[in-house]
């Protein structure tokens, strides 16, 4: 076995980055997600359920395998023409069929793929909750997982709308964290999509495309602008212009929120109460 | 490409059994799931979020790869020592690392694995919502999918408790369907776990271990008894006896409910209203 996919005989599911959430933690995750989805729908977002797997061909079109090959997790059926054994602890590569599907590493990819070749009005907003997957070199309680929940609020339209979306939701997150008395800070970050040298990397130095919201050293949310990257690659145009639209997303790593809320409030139950109270304080009106 | 995993260049996500749910369908799925989870928690069930992937070694212990090898979907990282191309439409087997993880085909496997080597009191009930995956020879709108949502209400304890659990929730489903004016019938079915000849198959003829609730020819829910199969394989004992406990589960295929509700009520919105009204009629008290 290689780094990142541990020998499942020797490690627990927690050590493999695949924890189970006990009932009180489940309640907290659902309570928090309902708050975040409420912010999105109050701002006019369409709440949708996206496919849990995406085609390799579609992700390749988004440069996913160029940028994140080490994180990728591919999905294959068993090759039924091969001799298989029920004693298997892992299936060898040669017993697998080719992988034409992959697990998503972010929830918003499916949104751009869904809108492929469509023309959309400015101020289109979509919110999705996805189970996302990233192979990491090591996993850490709820802070760094192989499989985790990501709530995203995605903006599609003019550059101005996207910037406004990120500013408004960034402010909302800061206000929510303040109501939780959770020390949070916003920092410019490096988006791996643009971190490959050349003109894009230069452009990023001039105007950051990613900000992270951090509690201590843990990014619990991020604000991302993609310029017209997904608009171009997915041929999504801004209605009336025929041109690729701009996109941006606000992303929340829900298990990371659970980790910082548990540390802050000492119990899942106290954290649930705190989230409810902070949500009422911040309000659900469009930010 | 072989049967069941279509060439993703030639088919839509819908044809591949991976549809997107539009906002009104998303609302219906969530409304329905809230009703079903409410039945479970009102009956004392612990609501939990389980890992989205399971170890091959653990599923092998449950005979999964003996019984359902053709349905299995394995998960592998890319082998970074191999030459990879971003133009890939599918990754060849030899570019994949061995698969030590798999996508679950049912939501309840994770429950038995979580409780492995524990001693539990009688009348332990757990409810989970899982995204489940089955490779099929063909996919059909929301009726037969590669990836779907399964809500389960799992009973662990004495044989009498398990039987009582299945009877009560079976009656509740019939009452709910009646309130929806949805023609439903309960039929004995064959559980592939016991459908392999020998003494278990004989036993099943004497006492069915699986009942399905069907609307026309579509099974929208099932009532399953596993006797002490999972208790034995996972070493889960009934407190005070030291013996493997019995298990059973009530399983709902949520997208199938969406399909029959849309056909019955003509629109997602009307179906949402009908589910709310039927839920109020049937009540949330323990069945």
């Amino acid at each position: 076995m290689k780094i990142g996919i541990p020998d499942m005989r020797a490690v627990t599911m927690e050590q493999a980055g695949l924890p189970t959430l006990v009932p009180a933690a489940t309640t907290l995750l659902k309570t928090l997600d309902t708050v975040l989805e409420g912010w999105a729908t109050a701002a006019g977002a369409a709440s949708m359920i996206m496919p849990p797997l995406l085609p390799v061909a579609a992700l390749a079109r988004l440069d996913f395998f160029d940028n994140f090959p080490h994180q990728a997790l591919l999905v294959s059926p068993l090759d039924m023409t091969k001799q298989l054994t029920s004693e298997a602890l892992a299936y060898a590569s040669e017993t697998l069929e080719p992988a034409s599907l992959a697990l998503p590493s972010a929830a918003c990819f499916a949104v751009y793929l869904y809108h492929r070749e469509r023309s959309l009005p400015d101020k289109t907003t979509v919110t999705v909750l996805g189970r996302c997957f990233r192979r990491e070199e090591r996993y850490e309680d709820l802070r760094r997982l192989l499989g985790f929940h990501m709530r995203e609020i995605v903006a599609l339209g003019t550059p101005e709308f996207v910037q406004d979306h990120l500013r408004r939701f960034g402010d909302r997150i800061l206000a929510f964290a303040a109501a939780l008395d959770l020390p949070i800070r916003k920092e410019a970050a490096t988006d791996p999509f643009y971190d490959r040298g050349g003109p894009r990397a230069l452009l990023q130095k001039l105007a950051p495309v990613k900000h992270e919201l951090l509690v201590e050293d843990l990014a619990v949310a991020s604000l991302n602008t993609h310029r017209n990257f997904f608009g171009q690659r997915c041929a999504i145009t801004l209605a009336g212009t025929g041109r690729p639209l701009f996109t941006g997303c606000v992303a929340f790593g829900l298990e990371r929120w659970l980790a910082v809320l548990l540390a802050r409030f000492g119990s899942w139950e106290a954290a649930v109460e705190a989230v409810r109270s902070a949500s009422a304080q911040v309000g659900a009106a469009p930010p």
Side-chain angles (χ1 to χ4, degrees), chain A:
Chain A
M1 299 284 159
K2 300 191 186 168
I3 278 171
I5 295 289
D7 179 345
M8 295 302 306
R9 287 163 294 183
V11 299
T12 64
M13 291 293 280
E14 287 69 25
Q15 289 167 329
L18 294 165
T20 294
L21 297 187
V22 297
T26 297
T27 301
L28 178 57
L29 187 140
K30 289 180 169 194
T31 303
L32 177 65
D33 187 58
T34 300
V35 168
L36 304 177
E37 187 191 21
W39 295 355
T41 54
S47 181
M48 301 177 72
I49 293 177
M50 310 312 285
L53 305 175
L54 295 175
V56 164
L59 287 170
R61 195 185 301 129
L62 305 182
D63 292 353
F64 175 75
F65 298 105
D66 291 332
N67 290 311
F68 309 106
H70 51 290
Q71 287 188 340
L73 289 160
L74 284 292
V75 174
S76 324
L78 290 173
D79 183 342
M80 298 299 293
T81 66
K82 298 284 171 66
Q83 187 68 37
L84 303 170
T85 163
S86 67
E87 306 304 312
L89 296 163
Y91 278 103
S93 311
E94 57 268 23
T95 63
L96 303 174
E97 287 194 21
S100 60
L101 294 167
L103 291 162
S105 66
C108 64
F109 290 135
V111 175
Y112 313 123
L113 294 170
Y114 174 75
H115 283 300
R116 189 150 62 101
E117 292 173 20
R118 293 184 201 220
S119 171
L120 297 180
D122 191 20
K123 305 192 180 178
T124 296
T125 315
V126 177
T127 187
V128 295
L129 172 66
R131 289 193 99 155
C132 295
F133 299 84
R134 295 181 187 177
R135 179 171 68 153
E136 304 276 3
E137 292 201 8
R138 56 178 185 81
Y139 303 104
E140 188 190 348
D141 56 61
L142 293 173
R143 291 160 195 264
R144 189 175 296 273
L145 296 174
L146 176 61
F148 56 96
H149 291 79
M150 189 186 290
R151 165 63 66 183
E152 292 209 49
I153 311 171
V154 184
L156 305 100
T158 58
E160 294 72 29
F161 169 62
V162 171
Q163 286 305 328
D164 190 50
H165 175 87
L166 298 182
R167 187 189 51 70
R168 287 181 298 131
F169 280 100
D171 289 349
R172 171 65 63 99
I173 297 167
L174 294 175
F176 183 59
L180 287 164
D181 194 18
L182 198 64
I184 203 168
R185 64 186 196 281
K186 184 173 158 185
E187 282 187 4
T190 307
D191 188 330
F193 261 98
Y194 296 95
D195 188 26
R196 298 172 67 77
R200 276 191 187 152
L202 178 63
L203 202 56
Q204 171 156 19
K205 282 186 191 157
L206 301 173
V209 294
K210 184 185 188 83
H211 287 87
E212 285 179 339
L213 292 138
L214 297 117
V215 177
E216 291 171 10
D217 61 343
L218 193 68
V220 296
S222 65
L223 312 171
N224 308 276
T225 68
H226 319 114
R227 301 206 175 84
N228 57 3
F229 176 81
F230 292 114
Q232 284 182 329
R233 293 296 172 93
C234 296
I236 314 169
T237 55
L238 185 63
T241 72
R243 290 205 188 145
L245 49 63
F246 279 57
T247 63
C249 66
V250 184
F252 301 86
L254 297 191
E255 282 84 351
R256 289 184 166 189
W257 280 85
L258 262 56
V260 300
L261 289 168
L262 181 63
R264 167 71 185 80
F265 295 102
S267 77
W268 300 119
E269 292 77 6
V272 168
E273 280 314 303
V275 166
R276 287 188 179 139
S277 159
S279 167
Q281 210 173 314
V282 171

